[in-house]
Amino acid sequence: AIVRQYKKLFEMEGATLEIAEDALLEIGRMALEKNTGARGLRAIFESVMLDSMYHLPEAGDGMKYVITPAVVRGRTPAEVVRIGDRKKVTA
């Protein structure tokens, strides 16, 4: 349900959100390691999305945010691509 909520939030700003299946698995793995359950899962997901949500209003319409396992691990920011352009933009 949380993924649908975030996708809807991005749609409201004129952007799209793509979360790779392996990124979701990484979030689940992290929650299992911490033995936190559903609340911990939500907290991890929200921390992953924090930076993208911060930049969302200024990015404008037609942007696509891609969340990968590297983003979940905190190694890279979300990839931001102008839809139709496939041109990467730094978040």
Side-chain angles (χ1 to χ4, degrees):
I2 190 169
V3 173
R4 286 191 306 263
Q5 291 172 5
Y6 272 87
K7 285 185 176 189
K8 190 65 173 173
L9 285 171
F10 276 70
E11 284 177 22
M12 290 169 55
E13 292 290 335
T16 59
L17 174 63
E18 180 180 306
I19 304 172
E21 187 70 30
D22 47 351
L24 292 174
L25 292 172
E26 184 66 19
I27 291 170
R29 186 192 61 72
M30 292 170 73
L32 280 173
E33 278 181 1
K34 295 180 180 185
N35 199 22
T36 57
R39 289 184 191 196
L41 189 65
R42 176 177 280 278
I44 293 167
F45 189 84
E46 288 175 350
S47 70
V48 167
M49 296 304 301
L50 187 63
D51 189 50
S52 296
M53 292 295 292
Y54 177 77
H55 293 286
L56 182 60
E58 69 190 32
D61 289 338
M63 300 304 279
K64 179 179 182 180
Y65 290 74
V66 181
I67 306 298
T68 63
V71 175
V72 173
R73 291 184 211 106
R75 294 188 182 137
T76 63
E79 180 181 343
V80 182
V81 179
R82 184 164 304 282
I83 297 173
D85 226 8
R86 292 304 300 169
K87 185 177 182 181
K88 189 174 179 179
V89 179
T90 52

